[in-house]
Amino acid sequence: MSATRLPGTPRLLRALNDRAALELLLERGPLTRARIGELTGLSKVTASQLVERLEERGLVARVGEQAGGRGPNAQLYAVRPGSAYVVGVDVGAERVVAACADITGTVAGRVEQSTKDTDDPVGVVHNAVVQAASSAGAELSAVRRVVLGTPGLVDPHTGDITFAFNLPRWHSGLLAALREDLDTPVVFENDVNLAAVAEAQSGAARGTADFVLVWVDAGVGLAIMLGGRLHHGSSGAAGEIGYLPVPGVPIPRDVSRRAKPAFQQLAGADAVRAVAAEHGFATPDAAEQGVAAARAAEAVQAAIAAGAAGGQVLDELARRLALGVASTCVVLDPPLVVLAGAVGRAGGAALAERVQQEVAAITLVRPRVVSTGLTEEPILRGALRTALDAVRDEVFGSTVG
């Protein structure tokens, strides 16, 4: 027996049409009523009613006129930027960076603060969010969502941080404290996952529904994108590739202590610098994580600049990284692997090609391995994108009326 199909109600159809028009305005910029009608397939009358409805709700505004043709100039309409704001936050061991974007995605404010001399994570985030919104000319009440990218585990059920190796002051219960303090929705997401979101939006994974991103920086991490959606795992630990047991290094048996996990020992920034130093590409010591990652990236860049003389550095790094990439790919079999983070970016195509060849040599899978397509703040960009997607669903979805 065939299922009964319920007809769409006028209210639902209006909502769908409104959302389609708003997405067009975001994608194509200012449009006339007639052009909106052409692109959505709506009649001139229906398109005019749609624009009036969105204008009344404060979601679109007249931004100019289009000259040409007989009669009066046609009015141009665009999404009103100030209809909602979001804040993305990149939380690191030494600093917090926050950016405020309007609903069109335009970043209008950005701040950066040190976290070295404070024991108050709520105060740090509060100040960063407030200052980012203020620099964007937005009231805090207009900020509809704050997304924080943080290292470590985020519980997919509660949304709270359960383990952050590099942020000992961040703890369970922090999410509720931040939501109460800021009086707006706050979301935690793993930093490497957010880098993958940015990569899918405008980087090397654009247009690819299934891929993994390997983050090679101070530490090593992994993000898994399946069907265009992040895979978090039952406890939020999917992608914690630093804990992959690999041969050749000690395997700690108590992760609650500060001993480095196995794959982290093999492929993290300290290991990269050690490999480079063995082949004559030493860099100054660095205690801070951000500096250590930068030093490792500098060593890789120096090896690449040296041509054949630096080839052994890249070969060894590729062999090490391939252990983690191969272990992931024989389970997930993704078509694409993106190398990101300071070291992954510095290695570029030279390192990516070597990793691809090594994975193909030791497994049955043949993923394409590429370097990141992003050069600046992928975690922050991913946080803003995640926040924007959610707020647009809320704001644009509220057009049913």
Side-chain angles (χ1 to χ4, degrees):
M1 183 173 65
S2 63
T4 301
R5 297 186 62 184
L6 297 176
T9 64
R11 187 181 184 191
L12 175 60
L13 292 175
R14 283 198 301 271
L16 294 173
N17 290 336
D18 289 355
R19 179 63 185 261
L22 288 164
E23 295 289 354
L24 278 171
L25 289 170
L26 284 174
E27 180 184 350
R28 302 200 177 206
L31 298 171
T32 64
R33 297 187 185 200
R35 185 59 176 154
I36 291 172
E38 292 173 5
L39 293 172
T40 58
L42 300 174
S43 68
K44 291 183 179 180
V45 172
T46 302
S48 292
Q49 292 172 342
L50 177 154
V51 171
E52 289 174 4
R53 194 161 56 243
L54 296 179
E55 196 172 13
E56 289 173 0
R57 300 182 73 89
L59 296 178
V60 303
R62 303 178 193 186
V63 294
E65 296 181 345
Q66 185 178 69
R70 298 179 180 178
N73 293 337
Q75 297 289 329
L76 286 167
Y77 294 86
V79 173
R80 192 170 69 83
S83 57
Y85 292 87
V86 300
V87 173
V89 186
D90 177 4
V91 180
E94 285 95 28
R95 64 170 192 157
V96 166
V97 182
C100 182
D102 62 42
I103 201 166
T104 69
T106 300
V107 176
R110 182 186 181 281
V111 297
E112 183 174 331
Q113 295 184 350
S114 171
T115 60
K116 295 179 186 177
D117 301 320
T118 179
D119 291 325
D120 179 18
V122 173
V124 168
V125 174
H126 173 93
N127 290 337
V129 170
V130 169
Q131 290 180 27
S134 177
S135 64
E139 297 289 338
L140 190 59
S141 58
V143 176
R144 298 286 293 264
R145 182 165 296 240
V146 177
V147 173
L148 294 97
T150 175
L153 303 187
V154 178
D155 189 318
H157 306 291
T158 67
D160 219 333
I161 293 175
T162 58
F163 180 75
F165 185 91
N166 299 324
L167 298 172
R169 300 181 187 93
W170 290 63
H171 53 79
S172 180
L174 183 58
L175 182 62
L178 285 170
R179 287 174 173 171
E180 181 178 0
D181 177 77
L182 294 170
D183 193 27
T184 194
V186 178
V187 176
F188 286 137
E189 179 59 271
N190 175 267
D191 51 2
V192 179
N193 283 344
L194 291 178
V197 169
E199 206 73 53
Q201 177 200 2
S202 55
R206 189 172 184 177
T208 305
D210 298 341
F211 70 95
V212 297
L213 179 141
V214 180
W215 185 261
V216 194
D217 202 271
V220 288
L222 179 82
I224 304 165
M225 192 76 75
L226 299 175
R229 298 173 64 89
L230 287 170
H231 176 70
H232 296 89
S234 62
S235 65
E240 291 295 329
I241 198 173
Y243 292 89
L244 187 71
V246 291
V249 291
I251 300 175
R253 302 188 66 85
D254 186 354
V255 297
S256 65
R257 300 188 178 183
R258 297 294 166 182
K260 286 184 181 179
F263 191 56
Q264 165 75 9
Q265 296 176 51
L266 198 68
D270 290 343
V272 171
R273 293 176 59 239
V275 169
E278 288 175 6
H279 294 86
F281 299 95
T283 58
D285 290 338
E288 296 178 355
Q289 293 182 45
V291 178
R295 292 283 187 266
E298 290 169 4
V300 171
Q301 289 171 336
I304 292 174
Q312 289 182 315
V313 174
L314 297 180
D315 290 343
E316 176 61 22
L317 292 181
R319 281 192 290 270
R320 295 180 178 212
L321 289 172
L323 292 176
V325 174
S327 298
T328 300
C329 290
V330 293
V331 175
L332 299 174
D333 194 15
L336 177 68
V337 175
V338 179
L339 299 184
V343 175
R345 184 171 62 249
L351 180 59
E353 289 169 3
R354 284 171 167 83
V355 172
Q356 178 173 311
Q357 292 169 3
E358 184 66 15
V359 171
I362 63 176
T363 70
L364 296 175
V365 295
R366 301 285 190 275
R368 184 166 64 97
V369 182
V370 300
S371 180
T372 175
L374 304 175
T375 57
E376 295 183 357
E377 300 186 319
I379 296 168
L380 189 63
R381 292 173 66 166
L384 287 170
R385 181 66 186 191
T386 300
L388 281 168
D389 286 347
V391 168
R392 286 172 180 172
D393 282 344
E394 294 170 1
V395 175
F396 294 171
S398 69
T399 57
V400 179

